[in-house]
Amino acid sequence: MMEKKKVWIAGCMIFLLLLICTVLSLRIEKMMRIEVEIERGIPCSENGMENMSKIPLSCFKDENGSMVLFYIEEREGLFGKELVAVKEEKYPAAEDGNMAFVVTSSLRNEQGASKRIVNYSVWPLEDGDIVTIVGEDE
């Protein structure tokens, strides 16, 4: 009878240890996400540029001789919704100081909502990185 009790206690201790490790792993994974700041396109009101939007030129990153934009997409992950960085090759149509002009329709997703464009990240981004937006609560 005493052996069963010891085995039961040992089993419970191992279960608790695994539970604690799992919770710690999830918390560490959340803390390791890359923090980003986002921008949204500002529609142009100038004559002849109604189909264009302005974004900061700093949103464009030079990658192997081509210009890319990263935007944030919400996807269903293992434990709920995750914010994922998506890379898209894009060039500014025109530049004005520190602002770039881009066709407005290219800054919208399939539902017609404005894409969240990465302006700054604390670590270089790659396509598919899981991120968190600075100043936005999850």
Side-chain angles (χ1 to χ4, degrees), residues 18-64:
L18 289 173
L19 183 66
I20 290 169
C21 288
T22 302
V23 169
L24 282 174
S25 171
L26 292 172
R27 299 297 272 162
I28 290 170
E29 184 269 334
K30 191 173 182 177
M31 289 171 36
M32 295 294 291
R33 291 180 183 171
I34 299 171
E35 291 183 345
V36 297
E37 293 177 0
I38 60 167
E39 294 286 337
R40 296 192 190 260
I42 303 165
C44 294
S45 58
E46 288 91 17
N47 206 8
M49 297 189 71
E50 291 83 13
N51 66 337
M52 302 295 271
S53 290
K54 290 190 276 189
I55 60 173
L57 199 53
S58 59
C59 293
F60 289 90
K61 307 296 179 219
D62 184 20
E63 202 169 89
N64 300 327

Side-chain angles (χ1 to χ4, degrees), residues 78-131:
L78 188 59
F79 297 106
K81 294 195 185 294
E82 296 178 332
L83 299 176
V84 179
V86 178
K87 179 170 61 171
E88 187 176 288
E89 187 173 334
K90 187 173 295 306
Y91 293 89
E95 297 177 19
D96 181 28
N98 64 347
M99 298 300 277
F101 293 95
V102 180
V103 178
T104 301
S105 60
S106 69
L107 298 180
R108 301 213 174 274
N109 60 19
E110 295 83 30
Q111 294 81 25
S114 181
K115 290 181 182 177
R116 296 178 282 189
I117 302 160
V118 175
N119 187 24
Y120 171 78
S121 64
V122 295
W123 194 256
L125 288 176
E126 293 182 19
D127 196 36
D129 282 345
I130 297 174
V131 299

